Amino acid sequence: MPDLKIQEAKLLFKKIHSNPKSYDLKINEDGISGRDDKISFRLYRTGERVAFEVSIDELTFTNTTGEWNNAMIMLENTIKKIEREDENLKIEQAIDKLRKYLSEEN
């Protein structure tokens, strides 16, 4: 796998973190993965380090500079926040539907 330069990796992470909802983020046993229509990426543990792997045009680039432990924590927190927001939205929609149902006459 070719190396992903740290400057490019940081720019990409900043882009992902600034607009996380556009990357279909997932937490799994390997780490965090995401994708949009042009790239896919993974942040995953390799021993005591975290690697940042980016795939584009069927090529995969990796950066393991040790910069990614905090990035992984930041994305995990972001994903959990998005999941809470989505759950709260579902709850609000269900309550609205219930109120509407209760206000209807039989």
Side-chain angles (χ1 to χ4, degrees):
M1 277 186 256
D3 287 339
L4 178 64
K5 292 183 176 148
I6 188 63
Q7 298 89 340
E8 293 164 338
K10 284 181 177 180
L11 284 172
L12 178 58
F13 179 78
K14 186 176 180 180
K15 185 172 183 167
I16 291 165
H17 192 256
S18 68
N19 193 9
K21 290 185 178 181
S22 65
Y23 287 94
D24 188 30
L25 298 174
K26 294 188 178 15
I27 298 175
N28 55 45
E29 65 278 352
D30 295 330
I32 298 172
S33 62
R35 67 178 340 103
D36 68 5
D37 58 343
K38 296 178 183 162
I39 68 152
S40 64
F41 72 90
R42 290 188 324 145
L43 279 166
Y44 62 95
R45 297 205 179 279
T46 60
E48 297 199 9
R49 300 185 108 183
V50 175
F52 186 30
E53 183 180 281
V54 179
S55 297
I56 185 166
D57 292 339
E58 298 181 22
L59 288 172
T60 301
F61 300 87
T62 305
N63 184 286
T64 56
T65 58
E67 299 269 335
W68 306 113
N69 283 321
N70 287 338
M72 195 166 187
I73 292 167
M74 287 172 63
L75 270 189
E76 285 173 351
N77 290 337
T78 299
I79 292 167
K80 289 174 185 172
K81 180 181 175 194
I82 290 170
E83 288 172 348
R84 279 192 306 273
E85 288 172 358
D86 290 346
E87 185 64 27
N88 288 340
L89 181 61
K90 287 178 187 176
I91 291 169
E92 286 177 31
Q93 289 172 339
I95 289 171
D96 288 344
K97 286 180 182 178
L98 177 60
R99 286 181 181 147
K100 185 176 178 183
Y101 176 79
L102 292 172
S103 69
E104 294 174 356
E105 292 188 30
N106 290 335

